[in-house]
Amino acid sequence: MVATQLAEQALGLYDLPRYTSVHLVSISENEIYRVEAPYGRRWALRVQRPGYQSKSSLASEMEWLAALRRDGVVATQIPVAGLDGEWVQVARDPDGGESRNVVLFEWENGSHPRMDTDLHQCFRSLGAITAQMHVHSRTWQRPKGFDRFTWDFETALGETPRWGRWRDALGMNAGRLDLFGRTARLIGERLSLYGSGPDRFGLAHCDLRLDNLLIDQGEIKVIDFDDCGFSWYMYDAAAAVSFYEHLPQVPGLMECWLEGYRTVSAVSRAEEEEIPTFMMLRRLLLVAWVGSHAETPLARSLGASYTEQTVALCSAYLRRFG
C-alpha cells in the first residue's frame, strides 16, 4: 500500500470529521502528514518507521511529553487518543503489507528557527527550556512500564548502533576511516571517565535540533519526542546544532545556550568541558544516519559533503583532547 493510502486508512482509527484530507509534510525517521478538516481544523499524523519503536515505547513518549505540558514545563504537542482510548494506533494494510504504528497530535502553529538568522536569543531561551526539561526529568515519577531506549556510546558509535555504522558513511575512504576511528575511540574514553551517574545521565529529548522547535509569537515549542530516551543531559546541547556543527557561529550559540541553561540550573566545569565531546558524538552519529537513511530528502541534500565537512571537526577535536 502506498504510504499516503496507509495514512488515510489510519484516520478511521480516530474520531475525526468526515472529508478530512491528508498531505505529506516530511520524511525523516518517520512520515509526517498534515490532516485537515473542511472547516480549517488541523492535526499532525506521524506514521512510524517500521520496527523503529514498539507500542509501549511510543506510549511512554506520549506520557512524558503530556506530563511536560501538563506540568507547565514547555509547550509540547498534544497527543490525540484513538477510538479505543489509546494514544498509539496500528494502521493495518488490507492488502497484506506491513502494519505501521501511528500517533496523532493536535496541530501546533509556529515556524522553525533558521540557522541563517540571528539565533542568539533563541539559543538562550532554548538553554533555559532544556534545563527545565532536565529538572522535570530528574523529579518526575515515571509510570510503571515506562519504556524508552538509551543513547550511549555503544548505541551511537559502538557495535550496536541505532542509526547505522559511521564506517558506512557516504564518502568514506581509508584516511577518513582512520581519522574518524581515532576520534570515536577518544570520545569513548572521555565519556567513560565522565560517567553516567544520575546527575549527568537521565531521560532527555535527545533531538532538540532546529527542525524540532517551533516559534509561535515569541514562544518556543518543543515537538517530536520520537528519539527521547536515556542519555547524558549535555547531549541535548549538542543536538541543538545538529547538521550545523561545522559552521563558525556555533561556539557563540553554545555560549548563549549555556547562559540560558544557567538561569535555571547549574552547569559544572566538567559538564561544560565535555560539550565538545557530545558535539563530536552527535556529529559522528549523524554521519552514520545520513549513510543509513540515504533515501530520505534530508540525507540526499547533505550527501557525502557532510562526511567531508566532518574531517576538520575530527582533526580539531583530536588536537584539543588527544
Side-chain angles (χ1 to χ4, degrees), residues 11 16-23 35-41 43:
L11 298 186
L16 296 176
R18 296 178 65 188
Y19 309 117
T20 53
S21 58
V22 176
H23 309 275
V35 179
E36 292 185 305
Y39 52 85
R41 191 175 178 191
W43 299 263

Side-chain angles (χ1 to χ4, degrees), residues 26 60-61 93 96 109 111 132 144 161 165 188 191 201 237 248 279 289-290 305 314:
S26 66
S60 297
E61 173 196 347
D93 187 344
N109 292 321
S111 58
Q132 291 161 1
K144 184 179 180 180
R165 297 173 0 123
L191 291 180
F201 195 101
M279 291 180 66
W289 184 90
V290 170
S305 63
C314 288

Side-chain angles (χ1 to χ4, degrees), residues 192-297:
S192 179
L193 292 173
Y194 182 76
S196 53
D199 58 328
R200 296 180 175 180
F201 195 101
L203 180 62
H205 187 283
C206 299
D207 197 24
L208 279 171
R209 58 193 179 99
L210 300 186
D211 277 357
N212 289 335
L213 306 176
L214 291 173
I215 298 181
D216 183 22
Q217 298 181 354
E219 178 187 25
I220 294 182
K221 303 176 181 180
V222 175
I223 63 174
D224 196 356
F225 282 68
D226 188 49
D227 292 313
C228 74
F230 297 94
S231 189
W232 293 278
Y233 290 119
M234 287 299 108
Y235 177 69
D236 271 345
V241 292
S242 294
F243 302 112
Y244 300 110
E245 301 90 347
H246 56 283
L247 295 184
Q249 62 264 48
V250 165
L253 293 177
M254 281 292 97
E255 287 298 322
C256 291
W257 188 94
L258 283 166
E259 287 176 17
Y261 196 100
R262 286 190 170 107
T263 63
V264 175
S265 186
V267 178
S268 69
R269 181 176 178 181
E271 288 173 313
E272 182 175 355
E273 287 180 347
E274 223 54 67
I275 287 178
T277 295
F278 292 119
M279 291 180 66
M280 281 309 313
L281 175 75
R282 176 70 171 183
R283 179 72 179 208
L284 291 186
L285 175 62
L286 292 177
V287 164
W289 184 90
V290 170
S292 62
H293 293 68
E295 77 285 357
T296 65

Side-chain angles (χ1 to χ4, degrees), residues 16-322:
L16 296 176
R18 296 178 65 188
Y19 309 117
T20 53
S21 58
V22 176
H23 309 275
L24 180 64
V25 174
S26 66
I27 301 176
S28 182
E29 201 64 49
N30 309 297
E31 296 148 18
I32 308 298
Y33 295 86
R34 184 177 68 252
V35 179
E36 292 185 305
Y39 52 85
R41 191 175 178 191
R42 294 181 291 177
W43 299 263
L45 179 72
R46 196 173 76 196
V47 178
Q48 297 294 136
R49 189 181 186 93
Y52 188 63
Q53 299 275 18
S54 66
K55 286 191 70 175
S56 64
S57 180
L58 285 168
S60 297
E61 173 196 347
M62 300 304 118
E63 291 278 4
W64 191 38
L65 70 86
L68 286 166
R69 186 167 188 129
R70 181 180 62 247
D71 295 343
V73 177
V74 63
T76 63
Q77 293 168 290
I78 301 173
V80 179
L83 294 171
D84 62 359
E86 300 293 329
W87 279 325
V88 184
Q89 300 293 312
V90 179
R92 305 188 186 281
D93 187 344
D95 297 329
E98 190 169 20
S99 300
R100 307 275 291 275
N101 291 327
V102 299
V103 287
L104 185 71
F105 302 95
E106 298 281 353
W107 187 265
E108 289 292 339
N109 292 321
S111 58
H112 300 297
R114 292 169 39 195
M115 187 56 83
D116 60 356
T117 62
D118 184 352
L119 292 177
H120 290 86
Q121 185 53 50
C122 175
F123 268 69
R124 289 187 190 93
S125 299
L126 178 59
I129 288 170
T130 305
Q132 291 161 1
M133 292 172 66
H134 293 169
V135 170
H136 186 271
S137 168
R138 291 184 176 100
T139 58
W140 182 51
Q141 294 297 309
R142 296 191 290 271
K144 184 179 180 180
F146 189 86
D147 173 29
R148 294 300 299 179
F149 44 75
T150 297
W151 292 105
D152 57 13
F153 181 83
E154 182 63 28
T155 57
L157 306 182
E159 296 307 312
T160 56
R162 190 168 185 85
W163 281 353
R165 297 173 0 123
W166 60 264
R167 297 173 183 84
D168 299 328
L170 302 178
M172 190 59 73
N173 57 37
R176 291 169 186 172
L177 279 171
D178 175 70
L179 178 65
F180 289 18
R182 288 187 285 121
T183 304
R185 286 192 294 275
L186 181 56
I187 291 170
E189 291 167 4
R190 292 190 65 86
L191 291 180
S192 179
L193 292 173
Y194 182 76
S196 53
D199 58 328
R200 296 180 175 180
F201 195 101
L203 180 62
H205 187 283
C206 299
D207 197 24
L208 279 171
R209 58 193 179 99
L210 300 186
D211 277 357
N212 289 335
L213 306 176
L214 291 173
I215 298 181
D216 183 22
Q217 298 181 354
E219 178 187 25
I220 294 182
K221 303 176 181 180
V222 175
I223 63 174
D224 196 356
F225 282 68
D226 188 49
D227 292 313
C228 74
F230 297 94
S231 189
W232 293 278
Y233 290 119
M234 287 299 108
Y235 177 69
D236 271 345
V241 292
S242 294
F243 302 112
Y244 300 110
E245 301 90 347
H246 56 283
L247 295 184
Q249 62 264 48
V250 165
L253 293 177
M254 281 292 97
E255 287 298 322
C256 291
W257 188 94
L258 283 166
E259 287 176 17
Y261 196 100
R262 286 190 170 107
T263 63
V264 175
S265 186
V267 178
S268 69
R269 181 176 178 181
E271 288 173 313
E272 182 175 355
E273 287 180 347
E274 223 54 67
I275 287 178
T277 295
F278 292 119
M279 291 180 66
M280 281 309 313
L281 175 75
R282 176 70 171 183
R283 179 72 179 208
L284 291 186
L285 175 62
L286 292 177
V287 164
W289 184 90
V290 170
S292 62
H293 293 68
E295 77 285 357
T296 65
L298 177 57
R300 287 199 301 268
S301 71
L302 294 166
S305 63
Y306 190 67
T307 304
E308 181 180 354
Q309 292 162 344
T310 306
V311 169
L313 291 174
C314 288
S315 297
Y317 180 75
L318 289 170
R319 285 195 303 269
R320 181 174 181 179
F321 295 110

